[in-house]
């Protein structure tokens, strides 16, 4: 937790205070800085390259306090009697330039409502990336549909859109690309496939608030999009989510599905959703927090983007560090995650784990990202699940298991992927310079580090 005033004070201290590695980066030889700062990595006993403190998440102040207090005092804590959720939905739809937004209880709920309104069920297939958070997979399996994995494009860490065609069958009900890390997938390619095949695009935009492709916000490029407002996400109310769509009928179906069919069922709803629905409602407390957090959103999005692009410009010159590619047409990434690849052959064979440890010693948290989902015990158990065997048969489930091979993703998850999280991008330009400096030091001393840890 950090108050706005603290944030400002910290920025100020950064600007006026320390000069150390700023000078080092501007080309003056390191020895001129004195022996305390000899460029040795912290893991070998040198000074930490990163002298700031990463901004904690979430950021809030009295605005959030007042918003919550006001809902409390109103005694209208649920959306059925309150008006705050409706206000959030109007403002979120407007912010995204989309026809309709539906607040729900989580990102998973948003995807569940979309699956429900599409009437995805046993026998259907849904195309998903293999490199994503497990929720993308879970919402398909909850409906007893078959999740069909598509391998990863190493250059972008996104679903490889050129491999989607090969995954389509007569049973494909939807394509569900994920804008991983907040960066848009190749939406041109998905649009082309969708137009040609008639298969709807459902965007899992749970990490991609305010990201844009060809000037249009993501979530807005297919039949519907899902957002998450879970604690770690760039727009956060603890738990929460939203469905967005430009299709009024589909919106009505999602609304009814998420609210025990209380919006009524006409024939088109029955035809579309069948006879299922549930409760996925958001509370007024969540919506009030979201409205307050939205007053900060655009500034934060801009700050992350500026810092990410600056970091790109420094890291791309370091051999063996490859920032994730943005597809042509990307006008903005939300940078929920700053994704890059670490190629150990440029670091004297220092393993990714050792690299991450060395970064931690510099004061920088770096994650190896998701594991290979298709190879997890949890996912593989689907092939022998009794319901799946009943619906699809033994042969088909065996084929499913074999088809799940994703060699590019194995390379990425096994040894290359490295992530910085979004709050690291809320710092100053100096913070970014220090990140680059830390990586350079580790590279310079890689063979020594390899022996030492
Ligand atoms: C966070 C997330 C979800 C699920 O959102 P919750 O709000 O945690 O339910 C789904 N997909 C992706 C890609 C996510 O990152």
């Amino acid at each position: 937790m950090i108050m706005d005033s603290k944030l400002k004070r910290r920025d100020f201290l950064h600007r006026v205070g320390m000069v150390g590695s700023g000078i080092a980066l501007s080309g003056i030889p390191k020895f001129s800085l004195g022996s305390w700062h000899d460029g040795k990595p912290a893991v070998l006993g040198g000074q930490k390259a990163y002298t700031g403190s990463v901004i904690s998440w979430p950021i809030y102040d009295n605005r959030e306090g007042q918003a919550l207090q006001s809902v409390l005092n109103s005694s209208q804590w649920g959306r059925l009697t309150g008006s705050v959720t409706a206000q959030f939905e109007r403002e979120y739809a407007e912010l995204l330039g989309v026809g309709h937004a539906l607040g729900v209880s989580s990102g998973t709920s948003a995807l569940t409502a979309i699956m429900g309104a599409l009437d995805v069920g046993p026998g259907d297939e849904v195309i998903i990336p293999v490199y994503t958070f497990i929720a993308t997979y879970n919402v398909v399996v909850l409906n007893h549909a078959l999740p069909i994995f598509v391998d990863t494009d190493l250059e972008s860490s996104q679903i490889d859109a050129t491999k989607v065609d090969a995954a389509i069958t007569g049973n494909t009900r939807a394509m569900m690309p994920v804008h991983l890390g907040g960066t848009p997938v190749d939406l041109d390619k998905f649009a082309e496939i969708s137009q040609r095949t008639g298969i709807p695009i459902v965007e899992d935009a749970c990490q991609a608030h305010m990201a844009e492709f060809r000037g249009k916000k993501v979530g807005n490029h297919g039949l519907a999009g899902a957002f998450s407002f879970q604690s770690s996400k760039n727009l956060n109310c603890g738990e929460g989510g939203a469905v967005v769509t430009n299709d009024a009928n589909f919106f009505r179906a999602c609304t009814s599905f998420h609210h025990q069919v209380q919006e009524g069922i006409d024939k088109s709803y029955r035809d579309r959703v069948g006879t299922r629905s549930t409760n996925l409602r958001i509370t007024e407390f969540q919506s009030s927090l979201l409205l307050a957090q939205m007053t900060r959103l655009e500034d934060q999005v801009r700050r992350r983007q500026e810092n990410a692009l600056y970091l790109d410009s420094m890291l791309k010159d370091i051999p063996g560090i490859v920032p994730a590619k943005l597809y042509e047409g990307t006008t903005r990434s939300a940078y929920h995650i700053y994704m890059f690849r670490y190629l150990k052959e440029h670091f004297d064979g220092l393993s990714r784990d050792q690299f991450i440890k060395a970064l931690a010693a510099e004061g920088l948290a770096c994650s190896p990202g998701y594991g290979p989902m298709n190879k997890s015990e949890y996912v593989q158990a689907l092939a022998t699940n009794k319901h799946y065997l009943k619906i699809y048969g033994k042969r088909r489930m065996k084929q499913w298991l074999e088809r799940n091979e994703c060699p590019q993703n194995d390379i990425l998850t096994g040894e290359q992927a490295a992530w910085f999280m979004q709050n690291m991008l809320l710092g100053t330009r100096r913070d970014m310079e220090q990140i680059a400096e830390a990586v350079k030091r580790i590279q310079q001393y890689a063979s020594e580090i390899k022996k030492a840890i």
Side-chain angles (χ1 to χ4, degrees), residues 106-108 111 132-133 135-136 178 204 206-207 228 230 233 240 370:
S106 71
T108 307
L111 290 168
T132 180
F133 182 54
T136 315
V178 176
D204 180 339
C206 283
Q207 302 183 359
S228 166
Q230 177 271 342
K233 303 293 160 75
Y370 300 128

Side-chain angles (χ1 to χ4, degrees), residues 261-446:
V261 87
Q262 292 303 297
E263 307 304 305
I265 49 168
D266 56 17
K267 185 173 174 324
S268 87
Y269 180 81
R270 254 195 329 273
D271 290 348
R272 198 198 284 265
V273 185
T275 50
R276 298 180 299 158
S277 73
T278 184
N279 170 17
L280 305 170
R281 292 189 304 265
I282 194 171
T283 70
E284 294 285 279
F285 292 106
Q286 290 161 292
S287 300
S288 73
L289 264 180
L290 289 168
L291 281 166
Q293 289 275 297
M294 273 159 66
T295 62
R296 310 167 194 283
L297 186 60
E298 177 61 34
D299 281 349
Q300 291 169 349
V301 171
R302 220 176 281 150
R303 170 74 69 108
R304 287 191 197 96
Q305 193 190 22
E306 279 168 16
N307 276 331
L309 295 178
Y310 187 42
L311 192 54
D312 274 351
S313 74
M314 292 181 286
L315 292 186
K316 75 174 169 39
D317 291 335
I318 303 176
I321 299 291
V322 191
K325 169 184 126 176
L326 308 183
Y327 288 104
E328 198 202 321
T330 301
T331 37
R332 190 190 236 183
S333 166
Y335 289 107
H336 176 61
I337 308 168
Y338 183 90
M339 303 187 289
F340 62 99
R341 281 188 298 146
Y342 169 78
L343 308 177
K344 66 169 185 269
E345 54 272 30
H346 295 272
F347 285 72
D348 284 322
L350 185 76
S351 75
R352 178 181 55 177
D353 283 352
Q354 289 172 315
F355 171 71
I356 287 173
K357 263 191 207 151
L359 277 175
E362 301 293 339
L364 296 166
C366 179
S367 155
Y370 300 128
M373 188 204 291
N374 52 333
K375 300 200 155 162
S376 69
E377 226 177 288
Y378 173 70
V379 166
Q380 298 220 342
L382 194 70
T384 50
N385 174 276
K386 66 178 182 206
H387 301 296
Y388 272 75
L389 288 175
K390 194 156 60 180
I391 299 163
Y392 300 94
K394 212 169 167 177
R395 209 175 120 251
R396 185 125 173 251
M397 288 316 295
K398 189 162 165 278
Q399 281 168 351
W400 175 81
L401 204 55
E402 285 161 6
R403 220 211 132 269
N404 288 348
E405 286 299 318
C406 291
Q408 297 299 297
N409 193 62
D410 291 345
I411 296 170
L412 182 69
T413 56
E415 47 185 290
Q416 296 188 348
W419 293 358
F420 294 130
M421 294 312 293
Q422 53 91 9
N423 50 329
M424 280 175 69
L425 299 173
L426 289 173
T428 61
R429 278 172 76 82
R430 239 183 78 74
D431 292 341
M432 301 307 112
E433 287 160 7
Q434 292 185 342
I435 294 172
E437 171 67 13
V439 174
K440 279 185 202 162
R441 282 187 198 178
I442 293 167
Q443 183 163 59
Q444 206 179 339
Y445 284 82

